[in-house]
Amino acid sequence: MIESRRITHSRKDRDGDILALCSPGHYWSPVSKNDAIRHIESNLYGYHVDWPDGVRTEVRVVNCPNGKYLRTDKDATTRNNLDDLPDC
């Protein structure tokens, strides 16, 4: 089983696209979007969010026509719940 790193914050651009995953105080934080994608796809590390309501969601890589991006799905909405995290 690979190590899963807990994410508490995300860095976004003006359009809301995720640029980095963060967990302040950890030596590896922040990790860029590209590095996180590489980590997940190579099974080097996983990333997850522990939400205040007790739900844990894994960060996954999604392929789209414009390239790969990171997302996590906490609920039935089509929104990327990484957008709900505080900025880092």
Side-chain angles (χ1 to χ4, degrees), residues 2-84:
I2 64 171
E3 177 186 343
S4 185
R5 294 173 167 176
R6 182 174 171 251
I7 303 305
T8 59
H9 295 71
S10 61
R11 182 176 300 146
K12 306 151 198 84
D13 65 13
R14 285 186 223 154
D15 296 328
D17 297 329
I18 302 300
L19 301 177
L21 302 176
C22 308
S23 189
H26 289 84
Y27 74 92
W28 51 263
S29 176
V31 62
S32 71
K33 174 184 90 168
N34 290 336
D35 284 346
I37 288 171
R38 184 175 48 81
H39 294 161
I40 293 166
E41 290 184 331
S42 67
N43 291 318
L44 183 60
Y45 299 109
Y47 295 89
H48 69 276
V49 178
D50 290 328
W51 299 99
D53 61 2
V55 173
R56 175 181 168 148
T57 57
E58 301 301 318
V59 176
R60 59 188 179 91
V61 177
V62 177
N63 291 303
C64 72
N66 296 332
K68 296 178 181 181
Y69 69 95
L70 299 167
R71 83 175 280 130
T72 187
D73 298 306
K74 179 180 177 240
D75 48 36
T77 68
T78 57
R79 295 184 65 248
N80 183 349
N81 296 118
L82 290 173
D83 294 335
D84 296 336

